[in-house]
Amino acid sequence: MIKGIDISNYQVGLNFSVAKSMGFEICIIKATESTNFVNPKLSEQVTSAVNSGMKVGFYHFFRNKGIEEANYFINNINSYINKMTIKPVIDIETTYSSKEVIDFINTLEKKLSVECAIYCNYSYSKELRKNTEIAKRTLWLAYYGKNDGNYYVAPTDLGFAKFAGQQYSDKNHIGKVNVDMNFFNENILLSKNVTVPVTGNPDDNKAVYYTVVNGDTLSKIASKFKTTIDKLVELNKLKNANLIYVGQVLRVK
């Protein structure tokens, strides 16, 4: 077993060197959520984890907008790709559709040429594994047992192609900082460095994306990129040309 932690922007003040000295070899960091949140501590946490000698990976908290969220995740971890030695992870904790999950996974895997691992609890795993495409992936399971800070062996009837490890507690601390703790195995590790370009559409590396800002309309975006509203609707499969939102990632070419 390989000891690991997973963190987000809430783990302010975490001493990574102390974590490493306690035997934690892996740190998986929340990078993004939906299409409008980036961990404000991301750069600081990546640097600290790498400098402490930990293996680093990233997860995305999923909100059921598959392709858009995959692009958003990839765009925001782009600067850290050369430091990533852990499989990228989709974190499924809220309402989802299997189609959107598969869209996220396929988009990420085509762009990065590495497998996307799945994080969820035992209840979700029993539903997700019913989809054969999803079940082909590697599972990182949240299973706490009595949730008293101790490790309890997870069920083995998981139904996924590979098992990467178990988040066994959200009650423990490193110093005064509450941190999720895990036991991983080698299935969580990347088998190669990620050097594939991470911009553009998975089927067209010349594609261009734009993130919607306050005051944007589809008409303004079309004018800015010398295209048409109809083309933007087609590229992004928009159901309502008048409904776009700040933080939304749109393909514009």
Side-chain angles (χ1 to χ4, degrees):
M1 290 184 179
I2 309 168
K3 292 175 68 176
I5 58 174
D6 61 277
I7 62 174
S8 69
N9 52 298
Y10 293 114
Q11 276 68 46
V12 177
L14 176 64
N15 190 318
F16 290 85
S17 295
V18 170
K20 185 65 163 61
S21 71
M22 292 171 64
F24 292 98
E25 299 288 337
I26 289 173
C27 181
I28 304 180
I29 304 169
K30 179 178 181 178
T32 49
E33 180 174 338
S34 188
T35 57
N36 57 10
F37 176 83
V38 180
N39 177 0
K41 299 291 184 181
L42 182 59
S43 179
E44 176 186 330
Q45 290 174 336
V46 172
T47 299
S48 296
V50 170
N51 287 345
S52 73
M54 301 179 81
K55 295 179 174 64
V56 172
F58 304 99
Y59 74 89
H60 171 84
F61 193 101
F62 188 60
R63 293 289 187 180
N64 209 39
K65 298 187 287 287
I67 294 173
E68 290 178 58
E69 292 191 48
N71 286 325
Y72 189 72
F73 179 46
I74 292 167
N75 288 342
N76 282 289
I77 64 172
N78 183 25
S79 300
Y80 315 106
I81 286 293
N82 64 336
K83 297 178 174 66
M84 186 171 75
T85 53
I86 305 298
K87 291 175 181 176
V89 180
I90 177 174
D91 175 357
I92 304 173
E93 300 184 42
T94 61
T95 303
Y96 69 89
S97 74
S98 293
K99 177 188 179 302
E100 295 298 331
V101 171
I102 292 169
D103 282 349
F104 180 100
I105 290 170
N106 286 342
T107 300
L108 185 147
E109 290 183 344
K110 287 178 182 177
K111 285 192 173 185
L112 299 188
S113 297
V114 296
E115 182 190 357
C116 178
I118 295 169
Y119 166 94
C120 66
N121 63 27
Y122 182 54
S123 176
Y124 271 53
S125 75
K126 290 190 288 186
E127 294 302 315
L128 286 162
R129 71 188 184 191
K130 293 176 183 178
N131 185 290
T132 55
E133 279 302 306
I134 295 173
K136 290 177 182 177
R137 270 69 187 191
T138 298
L139 177 66
W140 167 23
L141 182 71
Y143 183 82
Y144 299 160
K146 294 180 182 179
N147 199 17
D148 57 6
N150 294 309
Y151 169 69
Y152 293 89
V153 178
T156 56
D157 59 330
L158 297 174
F160 282 74
K162 293 181 181 179
F163 177 67
Q166 178 184 340
Q167 183 188 80
Y168 68 87
S169 171
D170 64 357
K171 299 294 185 183
N172 293 340
H173 293 74
I174 295 174
K176 294 182 179 180
V177 181
N178 176 236
V179 179
D180 294 338
M181 296 192 171
N182 305 262
F183 284 125
F184 292 110
N185 59 48
E186 292 186 352
N187 288 331
I188 198 66
L189 304 177
L190 287 173
S191 59
K192 62 178 182 178
N193 293 330
V194 183
T195 56
V196 178
V198 296
T199 57
N201 184 276
D203 299 317
D204 180 3
N205 286 331
K206 296 181 180 180
V208 176
Y209 286 83
Y210 173 76
T211 302
V212 177
V213 299
N214 189 40
D216 274 341
T217 64
L218 215 58
S219 176
K220 286 183 180 179
I221 296 170
S223 176
K224 180 176 182 177
F225 290 95
K226 296 181 173 55
T227 185
T228 66
I229 293 174
D230 288 344
K231 185 64 175 177
L232 293 177
V233 169
E234 177 188 352
L235 284 173
N236 295 280
K237 297 182 174 60
L238 299 177
K239 296 179 180 179
N240 185 344
N242 296 313
L243 185 61
I244 59 174
Y245 52 88
V246 174
Q248 184 174 6
V249 180
L250 297 174
R251 182 180 173 184
V252 294
K253 290 185 180 179

